[in-house]
Amino acid sequence: RLPEGDPESGGDSEDEGDSDSSGDGEDEEKENEAEIQRLEEQLSINAFDYNCHLDLIKLLRQEGELVKLRRARQKMSELFPLTEEIWLDWLKDEIKMASESSEREKVYELFERAVKDYICPEIWLEYAQYSIGGIGQEGGIEKVRSIFERALTAVGLHVTKGTALWEAYREFENAILETAQPAPGSVPSPEQQQMLCSQLEKIHTLFRRQLGIPLLDMEASYAEYEEWSEDPIPEPIIKNYKKALQQLEKCKPYEEALLGAETPKLAEYQAYIDFEMKAGDPARIQLIYERALAENCLVPDLWARYNQYLDRQLKVKELVLSAHDRAVRNCPWTVGLWIRYLLAMERHRVDHGIISEMFEKALNAGFIQATDYVEIWQAYLDYLRRRVDFTQDSSKELEELRSAFARAVEYLKQEVEERFSESGDPSCTIMQNWARVEARLCNNMQKARELWDNIMTKGNAKYANMWLEYYNLERAHGDTQHCRKALHRAVQCTSDYPEHVCEVLLTLERIEGTLEDWDAAVQKTENRLARVNEQRAKAAEKEAALAKQEEEKAEQRKQARAEKKASKKAKKARIGDKRKADDDDEGEWGQEEEAEQPSKRHKGDGDGVLLEEDMEVETGLFGRSGPEKPDRPANQKEKASTSRKDIPKVLHDSSKDNVTVFVSNLSYNMADPEVKLKELFESCGEVVQIRPVFSNKGTFRGYCYVEFKEEKSALQALGLDRKVVEGRPMFVSPCVDKNKNPDFKVFRYSTTLEKHKLFISGLPFSCTKEELEDVCKAHGNVKDIRLVTNRAGKPKGLAYVEYENEAQASQAVLKMDGLTVKEHVIKVAISNPPLRKLPEKPEAGRASQFAVPRQVYGARGKGRTQLSMMPRALQRQSNPVAKAENGMVQNSPATSSEPPEEPKKMSNADFAKMLLKK
């Protein structure tokens, strides 16, 4: 292809460009068709995939497939309330195609559906303006006025958007006024004069109504009324206007808070709702709830509070049922909203067939817990029970109730247990209620006994409360024989509180039994309690033995650690004395020799590098001494004499906790941690001090305190938590004294049920965050993904995925559970972490602010860093070592043949001779 501007290539280049663009367009069209087909298949599998509906509508609108587009919108609107943007796009498309009167009627029907989903000023304004186009039809003017009045009732109180509707209404009436004016120079007839006065009065009324409502820019409306009106504004209107202005000033802080807040603005809306609730105007309360729900339609608690207000205060059937219907369409996974809807329908005497149909919809809503199905069944059964007239021996309603009870038991056993691996009703509450209905209301004790027999066979026979529940039912509606039989079985089977049922049995026989009955009950209870006490004694002995074993093991570990520590100190003392003996045989230990001999640093001291001199001395102790090195200059001797272990320990000042963060999980091999961490944390603010923590040998222990000059810098530093430093995730947490704040939790993630978050297990270790996001975003908008790693930063095959709302999360569970990712089958569930088992408290004197007790290990036992790296040959001590009171290590008097001597009186030469003998 020739470059542009070449005279020989002008026409050819243009043709070639057209060819390329047409080819690209065809490819794009084919891709869109394939994507449309895929989305349609996806919706045929799961019709409740909200995002799939949105993507399909967007593609069909882009391709101009009007018939398919209308069908797709229709299907989505049947399942979900549509947002303001979706409705406006749909309405504008239909308005473009509506030319005949029949088509206009369909648009009117569409508008009526749109205004029922949410309270949207823009949709009402569009509706009113569209209706003006039909003003020429019969009754057109009255129809427009009717729509405007309905719009003002719905959103005319909207502080920020209501003014537009009032102004549009006035403009419409002004236009009518202009058409009613007589021709210039003509005298109006009495009829025309009357019509003019009537129209003027309509406009006056609109102005006066608007000025009595607190709306934004109402001062401009007042000035416009003054200019328009030929007469002075009446005093009552001015008074109402000033009152509305005062009300507007009270509302402004809440409106400004909403304007400046970020989505979802729940706290700001709740404050506004509380304000309006105190004022007590039902219309304004309803409007602020509707405004909040328009922006937070997927928040079940907000729907619940709104519906509760409507149920208890307004009690208007159409309004209440409409709100309940929108609630369950927005949040179908929330069982509480369905239960309230069923109750509201019963309260307003909705037809039984409609209520039953709504219950069936609830069963197909896709609840995320097994117990939710138990609750919805119980609510429906309660409704059916209230319909039955139990004065009749049999009725259609009673048979329907019994059939529903049987279906509920079977549904929980089959459908729910298959999905959740549990029925959600372990104590058989539905069957218990069924038995109570049969016994108390139907006088059918035989059926109640059959039900209770079924309940006991489901693993409930070992619980005393279950037997006593059955006994109380028999006592109230049965006979003494069956009561006695039930208690005898209870004494035999109960394992949690047998004393209780034994006492109830003896009480029964004391009141109603014969001597034979009493003797039998006493013998049975005594035998049973004797067996129980024997079993408990054995269990207590076994538990005591296990506890004793654990104590012995703990004591052995404690003794082994003490011996190991004493052994290390003894060895360190011998090494130090050997070094001094090599330099001077006459000097006293720790005095004159130190001034002359260069100080040798241990491995890990200073910058963490082992000096060559250290290597020679240490290998020399095992008979592998290297060539001697010349002495260092005097100035280097003084510099080297200062090691990490010689630095005095700086105690942490708890008064500076607010400007200090605790940093942990750092690499033990980090060189110059002060320098490294200062460079890292200076981005958060001025660093006053960094205090790394070193061991007795001078090696870095992987954690430190970072003190800032200002508190805001410390808070900003918390944002560096989990940042990878030298291949490991660095943990940054607030500096809190746990002795003073034992309930403080450093763990920053929730440990409770989060219905909008998924827990994924079984992931391949090679799976990246981006790859997982590609898998998850097909089912909703992913807000965050966290791959779980160990302390070294290595993946554990687990992840947490947070979606925007519960609906997307529940759909993702259904779609992703059992999915194969890189030949690994993953498991997906709603995030609900189990309760953490608290470790045993560390020994007194060994716990520090952030230290973990050494005897507490992880789920897999000792970590690699907790194992001893000392060769076994060096661990075989011929004599145990003990720690003397003065801190020095010496041989134990019980095993040594010579009495201990004071080490301070020995010279380096004495130590050298002692070591050479050994």
Side-chain angles (χ1 to χ4, degrees):
R1 185 173 180 177
L2 294 172
E4 293 183 8
D6 193 323
E8 297 181 7
S9 64
D12 294 340
S13 296
E14 184 175 339
D15 292 342
E16 187 176 350
D18 292 342
S19 176
D20 290 345
S21 61
S22 62
D24 293 342
E26 291 178 1
D27 293 340
E28 184 179 355
E29 186 176 350
K30 290 180 180 178
E31 290 178 2
N32 289 344
E33 289 177 359
E35 181 65 13
I36 289 171
Q37 185 176 357
R38 186 191 71 79
L39 292 171
E40 289 176 342
E41 292 175 355
Q42 183 75 13
L43 288 174
S44 65
I45 299 172
N46 178 21
F48 288 91
D49 192 332
Y50 188 88
N51 291 317
C52 194
H53 280 286
L54 292 180
D55 294 339
L56 179 60
I57 290 172
K58 182 179 179 181
L59 271 178
L60 290 174
R61 194 166 192 247
Q62 180 180 332
E63 292 296 309
E65 297 280 353
L66 298 180
V67 177
K68 289 185 177 181
L69 177 61
R70 183 179 292 168
R71 190 185 307 124
R73 284 167 167 165
Q74 181 68 27
K75 287 182 178 179
M76 185 178 183
S77 67
E78 291 172 359
L79 297 173
F80 304 101
L82 303 186
T83 63
E84 179 182 337
E85 292 77 16
I86 297 175
W87 272 120
L88 287 175
D89 287 341
W90 190 357
L91 290 165
K92 289 175 182 177
D93 290 343
E94 294 292 343
I95 288 172
K96 291 177 183 177
M97 295 184 289
S99 55
E100 300 179 0
S101 59
S102 60
E103 293 174 340
R104 287 186 64 87
E105 288 300 321
K106 291 181 179 179
V107 176
Y108 282 131
E109 292 175 4
L110 201 60
F111 268 115
E112 288 296 329
R113 289 173 56 190
V115 296
K116 290 178 181 178
D117 275 357
Y118 298 107
I119 300 296
C120 299
E122 287 81 1
I123 293 179
W124 275 111
L125 186 60
E126 190 75 23
Y127 189 10
Q129 290 175 342
Y130 178 74
S131 66
I132 294 174
I135 196 173
Q137 300 177 357
E138 184 178 355
I141 293 178
E142 293 304 319
K143 185 172 185 177
V144 173
R145 284 174 176 157
S146 172
I147 292 173
F148 267 119
E149 288 295 335
R150 288 173 58 201
L152 292 180
T153 302
V155 293
L157 299 179
H158 198 298
V159 176
T160 57
K161 297 182 179 180
T163 304
L165 269 169
W166 288 99
E167 290 178 350
Y169 196 180
R170 288 204 315 273
E171 287 177 6
F172 167 72
E173 294 295 353
N174 275 317
I176 299 296
L177 179 64
E178 290 295 326
T179 58
Q181 293 285 353
S186 63
V187 178
S189 64
E191 292 80 8
Q192 288 178 326
Q193 189 67 35
Q194 183 179 0
M195 190 179 70
L196 283 173
C197 293
S198 174
Q199 191 62 29
L200 284 171
E201 184 60 30
K202 283 185 172 65
I203 300 174
H204 273 289
T205 303
L206 282 176
F207 266 118
R208 293 167 183 173
R209 287 169 61 189
Q210 180 183 354
L211 292 176
I213 299 172
L215 298 172
L216 212 62
D217 296 331
M218 60 186 306
E219 296 90 345
S221 301
Y222 183 82
E224 183 182 349
Y225 186 31
E226 279 186 318
E227 183 180 352
W228 181 84
S229 177
E230 297 178 356
D231 302 325
I233 300 177
E235 189 63 31
I237 304 302
I238 297 175
K239 185 177 180 181
N240 290 337
Y241 165 70
K242 291 180 178 179
K243 186 178 179 181
L245 269 179
Q246 293 175 356
Q247 181 70 12
L248 177 63
E249 291 301 318
K250 295 179 182 178
C251 294
K252 272 185 178 180
Y254 299 99
E255 293 290 347
E256 291 171 357
L258 288 174
L259 190 63
E262 296 181 358
T263 306
K265 309 179 183 178
L266 278 173
E268 289 77 15
Y269 271 119
Q270 189 56 53
Y272 207 164
I273 290 170
D274 294 340
F275 164 74
E276 293 292 1
M277 290 286 280
K278 289 179 180 178
D281 187 342
R284 298 191 65 82
I285 294 171
Q286 181 191 355
L287 179 62
I288 191 57
Y289 263 120
E290 291 287 355
R291 287 177 61 185
L293 288 166
E295 294 190 45
N296 299 277
C297 59
L298 299 178
V299 180
D301 290 343
L302 189 59
W303 280 109
R305 291 195 293 272
Y306 181 39
N307 289 337
Q308 185 181 68
Y309 170 76
L310 295 177
D311 287 333
R312 295 180 179 179
Q313 302 296 328
L314 295 189
K315 301 179 181 180
V316 180
K317 179 179 178 180
E318 292 74 14
L319 186 62
V320 169
L321 296 183
S322 171
H324 279 288
D325 182 68
R326 289 184 291 141
V328 297
R329 288 173 66 198
N330 275 287
C331 308
W333 65 89
T334 307
V335 67
L337 296 178
W338 286 100
I339 293 174
R340 290 185 180 90
Y341 193 8
L342 293 177
L343 289 171
M345 294 175 80
E346 181 184 4
R347 199 175 290 120
H348 292 281
R349 305 186 184 280
V350 176
D351 184 70
H352 171 62
I354 298 176
I355 296 179
S356 298
E357 183 181 346
M358 191 58 59
F359 168 71
E360 296 298 331
K361 286 184 179 180
L363 286 182
N364 296 320
F367 301 132
I368 59 179
Q369 295 183 97
T371 53
D372 292 345
Y373 289 93
V374 179
E375 292 180 25
I376 192 66
W377 266 112
Q378 193 57 65
Y380 183 60
L381 292 168
D382 292 344
Y383 157 70
L384 293 178
R385 194 265 307 160
R386 288 189 286 267
R387 295 182 66 243
V388 178
D389 182 6
F390 289 100
T391 59
Q392 302 178 10
D393 293 337
S394 64
S395 63
K396 180 182 177 182
E397 289 80 6
L398 179 58
E399 293 305 316
E400 184 178 4
L401 174 61
R402 284 172 171 161
S403 175
F405 267 119
R407 183 189 166 201
V409 173
E410 189 65 21
Y411 187 90
L412 295 178
K413 180 180 178 182
Q414 298 291 336
E415 302 289 337
V416 177
E417 195 163 344
E418 179 180 348
R419 178 180 171 188
F420 296 97
S421 301
E422 60 164 323
S423 67
D425 190 17
S427 57
C428 302
T429 54
I430 287 182
M431 292 183 71
Q432 288 189 49
N433 290 331
W434 188 3
R436 293 187 188 102
V437 169
E438 294 289 354
R440 297 176 183 176
L441 302 177
C442 301
N443 298 317
N444 189 352
M445 200 59 207
Q446 182 60 35
K447 179 64 177 178
R449 292 185 185 113
E450 292 176 4
L451 290 169
W452 267 105
D453 186 65
N454 196 357
I455 291 171
M456 291 305 183
T457 59
K458 295 183 180 297
N460 292 303
K462 58 185 176 180
Y463 301 116
N465 67 315
M466 299 296 287
W467 283 108
L468 295 178
E469 189 71 31
Y470 173 44
Y471 166 75
N472 291 330
L473 192 67
E474 279 286 0
R475 192 76 173 146
H477 307 285
D479 53 59
T480 304
Q481 182 182 354
H482 284 91
C483 288
R484 182 177 291 113
K485 184 178 178 181
L487 289 176
H488 275 274
R489 287 179 60 195
V491 170
Q492 191 68 28
C493 300
T494 301
S495 60
D496 55 351
Y497 298 105
E499 295 90 350
H500 199 174
V501 292
C502 289
E503 182 181 350
V504 174
L505 175 58
L506 293 175
T507 302
L508 173 68
E509 301 300 358
R510 178 176 284 112
I511 296 173
E512 299 186 19
T514 63
L515 179 60
E516 290 77 11
D517 294 333
W518 172 263
D519 290 340
V522 170
Q523 182 180 356
K524 188 154 193 171
T525 54
E526 286 179 351
N527 292 339
R528 175 59 177 159
L529 292 178
R531 289 197 302 271
V532 169
N533 291 332
E534 183 180 352
Q535 292 171 358
R536 289 175 178 172
K538 289 182 179 179
E541 290 177 3
K542 186 177 180 180
E543 186 176 351
L546 290 175
K548 186 176 180 180
Q549 290 178 6
E550 289 297 324
E551 289 179 3
E552 291 175 353
K553 290 180 180 178
E555 187 64 29
Q556 290 173 2
R557 289 195 295 267
K558 182 178 178 181
Q559 185 176 356
R561 286 195 299 269
E563 291 176 355
K564 186 176 178 181
K565 187 175 180 180
S567 174
K568 289 182 178 179
K569 287 193 175 183
K571 180 182 173 183
K572 189 185 297 183
R574 290 197 297 270
I575 293 173
D577 293 338
K578 170 64 177 174
R579 291 175 180 171
K580 295 177 185 297
D582 290 341
D583 291 327
D584 188 358
D585 291 341
E586 299 298 334
E588 291 295 328
W589 179 46
Q591 297 178 3
E592 299 174 359
E593 289 78 13
E594 284 192 5
E596 299 176 1
Q597 176 181 311
S599 175
K600 307 294 190 292
R601 286 184 292 178
H602 287 281
K603 184 176 181 180
D605 290 348
D607 56 2
V609 180
L610 186 66
L611 298 178
E612 293 181 4
E613 292 87 339
D614 300 333
M615 293 286 289
E616 291 170 2
V617 173
E618 292 194 2
T619 56
L621 292 176
F622 300 101
R624 298 188 298 274
S625 298
E628 295 184 355
K629 294 287 180 179
D631 290 343
R632 287 174 287 181
N635 59 345
Q636 291 186 5
K637 293 179 184 179
E638 295 177 1
K639 183 178 180 180
S641 64
T642 303
S643 65
R644 290 286 185 191
K645 59 185 178 182
D646 295 328
I647 298 176
K649 293 184 178 180
V650 179
L651 296 177
H652 175 66
D653 186 359
S654 59
S655 64
K656 297 182 179 180
D657 283 350
N658 62 323
V659 294
T660 307
V661 295
F662 178 69
V663 184
S664 59
N665 201 43
L666 299 168
S667 173
Y668 289 174
N669 299 324
M670 180 181 287
D672 291 330
E674 297 100 325
V675 178
K676 177 76 175 179
L677 294 175
K678 188 169 185 180
E679 294 175 356
L680 191 62
F681 283 96
E682 276 182 336
S683 60
C684 304
E686 183 179 347
V687 178
V688 175
Q689 185 184 26
I690 294 180
R691 298 191 298 278
V693 179
F694 296 91
S695 66
N696 292 332
K697 290 185 177 181
T699 56
F700 181 46
R701 297 186 63 182
Y703 60 92
C704 67
Y705 298 90
V706 181
E707 181 184 334
F708 292 92
K709 185 176 181 180
E710 298 178 340
E711 184 175 356
K712 65 179 182 180
S713 302
L715 295 175
Q716 186 177 349
L718 297 176
L720 297 177
D721 186 38
R722 297 306 197 275
K723 180 179 178 63
V724 178
V725 178
E726 296 190 0
R728 294 173 64 90
M730 174 181 67
F731 299 162
V732 184
S733 58
C735 190
V736 177
D737 188 348
K738 287 191 176 180
N739 293 326
K740 298 179 181 178
N741 301 276
D743 297 330
F744 176 76
K745 298 290 188 300
V746 177
F747 192 67
R748 64 175 182 172
Y749 301 106
S750 174
T751 56
T752 58
L753 175 66
E754 295 180 279
K755 295 183 179 181
H756 66 291
K757 187 179 292 186
L758 304 184
F759 173 68
I760 303 178
S761 59
L763 289 168
F765 291 164
S766 60
C767 181
T768 63
K769 184 175 180 180
E770 291 73 19
E771 292 171 341
L772 183 58
E773 184 176 7
D774 290 339
V775 176
C776 297
K777 68 182 181 182
H779 311 291
N781 295 328
V782 178
K783 292 181 66 178
D784 185 43
I785 292 180
R786 177 167 63 93
L787 295 176
V788 182
T789 62
N790 59 18
R791 296 180 70 87
K794 300 303 174 79
K796 298 175 69 174
L798 309 173
Y800 289 90
V801 180
E802 182 180 356
Y803 282 93
E804 277 191 348
N805 52 62
E806 299 175 19
Q808 296 177 3
S810 60
Q811 293 301 321
V813 170
L814 297 176
K815 293 297 184 60
M816 294 172 57
D817 189 30
L819 189 69
T820 301
V821 177
K822 292 186 178 181
E823 301 181 354
H824 284 68
V825 178
I826 63 174
K827 293 183 179 180
V828 184
I830 297 295
S831 176
N832 189 15
L835 294 176
R836 290 173 171 261
K837 293 183 179 180
L838 296 176
E840 297 177 2
K841 293 184 178 180
E843 300 173 18
R846 295 196 53 132
S848 62
Q849 187 175 354
F850 294 92
V852 178
R854 295 191 181 183
Q855 67 270 27
V856 179
Y857 306 121
R860 300 185 181 181
K862 286 188 176 183
R864 300 177 72 180
T865 57
Q866 294 171 301
L867 299 176
S868 175
M869 295 301 171
M870 183 180 291
R872 291 189 180 90
L874 297 180
Q875 294 179 355
R876 300 193 186 103
Q877 300 287 341
S878 58
N879 295 323
V881 290
K883 184 174 180 181
E885 292 181 358
N886 60 1
M888 300 303 298
V889 177
Q890 58 189 12
N891 290 334
S892 173
T895 58
S896 178
S897 58
E898 297 178 3
E901 297 179 4
E902 288 293 329
K904 289 187 178 180
K905 296 180 180 179
M906 295 176 65
S907 65
N908 286 341
D910 296 329
F911 272 108
K913 292 174 182 178
M914 180 182 69
L915 292 173
L916 290 174
K917 287 179 182 179
K918 293 196 181 272

